[in-house]
Amino acid sequence: MPEEFRVLAPLVVAALGTAAVAVLGAVRPRLAPPLAVATAALALSATLLMPAGGQVDLPWAPTWGLRLTFAADGLARLYALLATGVGLAVLTYAAGYMPLHAAHEGYPLSRTVRLYSLILLFMTAMLGLVLAQDLIVLIIFWDLTAITSYYLIGYEREQEASRRAALTALLVTGISAILLILAGVLLYTRFGTAQLPDILAQVQAGPFVTATGALIAVAALAKSAQVPLHFWLPQAMVAPTPVSAYLHSAAMVAAGVFLLGRVHPLLALSPGLQNVLLAGGFASMAIGGVLALAQREIKRLLAYSTIAQYGYVVVMLSLGAVEGAAYYILAHALIKSALFMSAGAVTEATGETDLDRLGGLARPLPLLAVGSGLAAAGLAALPLTMGFFKDEVFFAAASERGGLVSVLAVAGAVLSFAYTWRFWGGIFTGRLRSQVQRIPATLTLPVLVLGLLVMLGGIVPDPAASLAAAAGESMAERATPLELAYHLDLHAPTLMAVITWVLGIVAVLTAPRWTAAPRVVARIGERYGPDRGMFMGLVRLTTFSRRSRAFLEVRNLQWRIATVLVAAALVVGATIVLAPPWPTFRVGRLPTSDWPLFLFLLLAALSALVATRSAGRLILVLALSAVGYSLAAVFTFIGAPDVALVALLIETMMTLLLLAVLGLLPIGLARAPAEHEPHPGRRRAVGFITTAFVFVICWGVLSWPAPDAVMARAHLELAPAAHAADVVTAILADFRGLDTLGEITVIAIALLGALTFFVSRRSA
Amino acid sequence: MILALALVISVLFGCGAFLLLKRDLIRMAGGIILISNAANLFIVSAGLSRGREPIYPLPAGERISDPVVQALVLTAIVIGFGTVAVLLGMIYRTYTARLAKAVDEGDETGRTPMSMPPEDRVAD
């Protein structure tokens, strides 16, 4: 295997693991968790072994310029590491969590298998998304994440809330994904390539770039749950904790800002777009932060916190601080997944999800309190954690931009500080208010490991910084060094951090005086927010669809057929009116030798008319067979004896079959039922209209002067070579022998079907 | 002749459409038969040449009928028959199943076919 194929190793491992867990788990549910954890571990090591800058380039549809291109650049490596690393922690956690969860919800262990394979599928989609260098491949994996997240969020499919949350997430991220596809098509048609590096090398500032950039940005912001498309994320908290810990910290929501980073050179060309992104980021920070303070349910608090935290990232990306954004994503993913998992562990231990009924858990669950505390310290940006640096890079970027942005940045960070304390302090400090059950070590261990990683990253900042610097380099296409260290001198970021802590402590201490305010905001949001807007929109759409169906749909089969016929007639009529084709109609000659042909045609038409007028079914059948036999005669005179013979045979069988059916039907059925059919006039009108438009079409086509009969002559000349005197036989049995074989098969199957209808036992 | 062929094809098709719009299932089947007849006639008429039958020895100097459309129509006739056979089978099952239901439960007035005069023993 060539060296560069190691780039694909994580993707292949995750994909194979997904299938293995799904298949083996169906047979032995107990095998699923260890297998899933092993897959994640293997994928993580494959990611670590990925050659930096390696690239795989396979032709996919070369004539369209589509290639399967995957590259392990800095950005891809960072996200792949997150997807597999956090994935490993989450799957380990799930192995302990899901059996408890299944026992609570009262379903068998075998049903949890789906969760493991879906999480692995999501990991596959994320890996494909971040490695892809081709826009089409990227879009496919983007959609795969949306679809997989639908199943993961709606994991508790019996619960209505769960299904609704899944649908909301799918609608918000799926509809916005269409904008991404649109942008992809625009870029592809403009630049003639779907290769992202080639596109990014060619883009020039202008309205086109602004428009496509805006389309991509909307898709990315919806995925990252940014205001005003944020409302799907808090709803998605109905999913089991492993899903939230994975999708809503390191994977799904991170995909949005990943896309912003991937197309950063394109977005950077439009200052207006950058300013919109800046405003959107701050709006998310403010709304997410305030609403996090209003939440009582611990996972929803974390969800709003995620909205706010990705607001930070969007702000940094729009300020051009790409390496800082990369570092922020890394730090936040570790912190937030640890916090989500500790929330789930707390709920499993106490059975509570409400902050008002939690407290004092530091004593019964010390290890969890430490792991969760380290992560919370990171979220609150305390020193000796990665969080300190995440705010440092953020403040550095903000202070470069100026006063207003700096003030807003500090305000956002104060909110983070306050809700972080609300979360950790609310759970682990104060009075113990609930019964505590023992929880397995697998619930605590991943939290502790991630918490320690957050602390380690705060003490030894270099490895994470170099990862982020490499990611920044591949986003901005320039060197973006990132050096993180503790400064004792008073430069702007440090000063801002100190102000944040002071204000944060003040906010926490004065909490009882302002707690009502965020709840008011939350209530206003519920009533007038985008969530409500989307709900009303869906209701209106459903009503519109139902009304238009009631208006348009023809429920009666007969009139539905009539609709098709009349519509076709209208199209033909319109064509005639708009482009009169009169000169092409020819009457044709009627030599005396054609008189027999003419008479039999007349007979066929008259018999057909009789069939429509027949009162009894027997007359109908006889009239029909008269049409068939007349046509057989027509075929004879038109120079087609083979067709005439077959028509004669088939017509005989058809007549016998029809008579047999009439005979088999119960007494009275052979005679026609009394005419109780409404609207005879309408039916006749449709018949005339149909006759008219078919006549126009047929006359037009048959009037077309026949070109030199090359095709026919070729067949005529070839027939002797097939040792056949009859050319039609030669065509059927030789030139198109395979077609005839297919036809025989169809007839055999059709007659077998008919036979089953006729001979199968009566349902008595 | 062109006009006559076009007229007959359209009359066959129109009569078929008219029958197709009826409620009676047998008549609907008749409509389908007529429409497929119209289609077959159309294909044959659309042959590139018309004259003697394309069978060796070919008469010298005379026009020969297009054998390609004939092969096509041969196929179409046979397939059409297969379709109608299945359709008739379905119609048969529909009537007998409905009648069986009527025997078990009676119609809305509670009468069963056995208690009806023969003319009324209609499942439809």
Side-chain angles (χ1 to χ4, degrees), chain A residues 330-671:
Chain A
L330 178 62
H332 172 259
L334 299 178
I335 291 167
K336 194 49 69 67
S337 51
L339 290 181
F340 266 122
M341 287 193 275
S342 50
V346 164
T347 304
E348 285 308 320
T350 61
E352 294 293 344
T353 59
D354 196 324
L355 270 179
D356 288 356
R357 272 178 272 166
L358 285 165
L361 289 177
R363 196 171 296 263
L365 301 169
L367 282 179
L368 189 67
V370 170
S372 177
L374 288 173
L379 194 60
L382 296 184
L384 294 182
T385 64
M386 285 177 86
F388 176 79
F389 296 115
K390 90 174 162 67
D391 270 21
E392 163 126 338
V393 291
F394 175 61
F395 289 143
S399 61
E400 264 175 43
R401 184 61 176 258
L404 179 66
V405 172
S406 305
V407 170
L408 288 174
V410 170
V414 172
L415 282 175
S416 305
F417 193 96
Y419 64 66
T420 306
W421 175 256
R422 193 175 138 79
F423 175 80
W424 192 83
I427 293 174
F428 292 104
T429 64
R431 193 165 53 82
L432 189 64
R433 302 183 208 192
S434 47
Q435 295 283 321
V436 181
Q437 289 165 349
R438 274 179 51 84
I439 49 170
T442 39
L443 292 193
T444 316
L445 199 65
V447 178
L448 201 60
V449 168
L450 288 178
L452 287 173
L453 270 179
V454 170
M455 191 174 76
L456 200 66
I459 297 168
V460 189
D462 284 343
S466 63
L467 261 177
E473 200 174 319
S474 52
M475 279 191 265
E477 293 173 335
R478 61 180 157 80
T480 52
L482 182 65
E483 278 169 24
L484 300 172
Y486 293 100
H487 301 279
L488 290 176
D489 56 326
L490 215 60
H491 71 311
T494 317
L495 191 67
M496 286 161 83
V498 173
I499 296 173
T500 305
W501 294 329
V502 172
L503 288 178
I505 290 168
V506 170
V508 168
L509 291 179
T510 57
R513 302 197 187 167
W514 50 256
T515 38
R519 297 215 175 129
V520 172
V521 176
R523 218 163 298 137
I524 293 172
E526 269 162 33
R527 183 158 301 173
Y528 303 106
D531 188 6
R532 175 106 184 128
M534 176 167 144
F535 178 71
M536 290 314 294
L538 281 181
V539 169
R540 298 239 167 84
L541 265 180
T542 315
T543 318
F544 173 72
S545 148
R546 202 184 306 126
R547 287 219 185 114
S548 50
R549 206 192 68 193
F551 174 68
L552 288 174
E553 190 185 36
V554 183
R555 290 206 177 71
N556 179 313
L557 177 64
Q558 277 88 34
W559 296 122
R560 207 177 293 173
I561 296 169
T563 319
V564 174
L565 292 171
V566 172
L570 283 178
V571 171
V572 172
T575 319
I576 290 174
V577 171
L578 294 177
W582 300 116
T584 58
F585 286 110
R586 292 190 298 140
V587 177
R589 291 176 301 110
L590 186 59
T592 39
S593 58
D594 272 352
W595 272 103
L597 175 57
F598 183 72
L599 287 177
F600 275 110
L601 280 174
L602 205 62
L603 189 58
L606 288 176
S607 316
L609 286 170
V610 170
T612 62
R613 306 288 307 163
S614 61
R617 287 193 172 106
L618 199 57
I619 300 175
L620 171 82
V621 169
L622 293 177
L624 286 176
S625 69
V627 173
Y629 286 123
S630 317
L631 284 184
V634 167
F635 294 142
T636 321
F637 288 110
I638 224 162
D642 308 75
V643 183
L645 273 175
V646 171
L648 212 61
L649 256 168
I650 290 288
E651 200 46 51
T652 311
M653 294 211 303
M654 187 93 86
T655 310
L656 288 176
L657 184 66
L658 279 164
L659 289 174
V661 169
L662 288 192
L664 278 171
L665 288 178
I667 318 160
L669 270 178
R671 259 177 282 164

Side-chain angles (χ1 to χ4, degrees), chain A residues 163-224:
Chain A
R163 294 198 299 268
R164 217 180 113 184
L167 191 62
T168 310
L170 184 70
L171 283 177
V172 174
T173 59
I175 291 176
S176 58
I178 294 170
L179 302 182
L180 175 63
I181 296 173
L182 195 62
V185 171
L186 283 174
L187 288 171
Y188 178 68
T189 46
R190 178 74 171 249
F191 298 111
T193 174
Q195 296 283 301
L196 264 175
D198 295 352
I199 291 174
L200 294 179
Q202 288 182 59
V203 283
Q204 306 262 321
F208 176 78
V209 160
T210 309
T212 47
L215 291 174
I216 296 174
V218 171
L221 293 183
K223 200 87 160 181
S224 278

Side-chain angles (χ1 to χ4, degrees), chain A residues 558 617 638 646 716 725 757, chain B residues 21 24 56 65 70 74 93:
Chain A
Q558 277 88 34
R617 287 193 172 106
I638 224 162
V646 171
L716 285 175
F757 280 125
Chain B
L21 294 179
D24 180 19
Y56 279 86
S65 284
Q70 296 187 22
L74 250 167
R93 291 303 293 177

